[in-house]
Amino acid sequence: MRTSSEILKPASLLRIAADGALIQFAIIVALVVRYLAVYIFQNQPGETDLRGIASAYATIAFSNAFLLVVSCLICLGIAGVYTRRRFYQGKYKALVVFQAISVAFLAYATLGYFLFRGQEPAGIRDFPFLAFLLAYGITVALLIGARTFIKLWQVYGDDSAGRTQVIHDESDRRVLVVGGAGYIGSAL
């Protein structure tokens, strides 16, 4: 069984930081898309305060992003994404990431709705529903896409920098025999 000290390795910390940045990026993109939808489809001169909506969305992003990123990273850690547990091995890695992100977003929405309803600063209740669903979809797509890209790069990418070219010289025909032949092997 693997220990939890594997999370503190530099490679795991880099994966955690990258996942956190991708989740934060998804939240910001979702709120920007929602703002643009409000601006394009609901903007009627004099009726919509676009600066007020932009300010409200910025407050929503800052107040919700940290807890949502932390909940996603905790669920990914429990699922074994950073420690390479047996559930994350094999061909079901995308399904494990999808499940962990789904649980994190569902838990965040449920706990936020029941525990932090109507509190200041803006809580999950103030997060636009379509932006929340869009953030969920973008997060799933980014995290699964990042892992798929890494796998494809390992298989098909340019790995010539990691390999050294072996030069075969026919004049040098030495053979190393390692153990197991006893006295006769020492004579070879």
Side-chain angles (χ1 to χ4, degrees), residues 64 67-76 78 98-116 124 132 136:
N64 286 298
L67 289 176
L68 189 55
V69 168
V70 168
S71 66
C72 287
L73 293 177
I74 288 172
C75 285
L76 287 168
I78 290 172
F98 176 76
Q99 181 182 17
I101 295 299
S102 298
V103 167
F105 269 79
L106 186 62
Y108 182 77
T110 304
L111 292 175
Y113 182 77
F114 288 116
L115 296 179
F116 304 115
I124 184 64
F132 190 74
Y136 165 71

Side-chain angles (χ1 to χ4, degrees), residues 34-49:
R34 175 70 173 121
Y35 177 76
L36 290 175
V38 167
Y39 179 74
I40 292 170
F41 297 116
Q42 296 177 358
N43 186 19
Q44 296 178 2
E47 291 184 16
T48 307
D49 180 24

Side-chain angles (χ1 to χ4, degrees), residues 119-163:
Q119 294 181 1
E120 291 295 328
I124 184 64
R125 187 107 190 243
D126 299 327
F127 206 112
F129 180 70
L130 290 178
F132 190 74
L133 287 180
L134 189 60
Y136 165 71
I138 293 171
T139 301
V140 168
L142 284 175
L143 292 182
I144 291 175
R147 281 155 176 78
T148 304
F149 175 77
I150 289 171
K151 188 64 174 172
L152 289 174
W153 184 260
Q154 289 173 348
V155 173
Y156 300 111
D158 182 28
D159 59 349
S160 63
R163 293 185 183 176

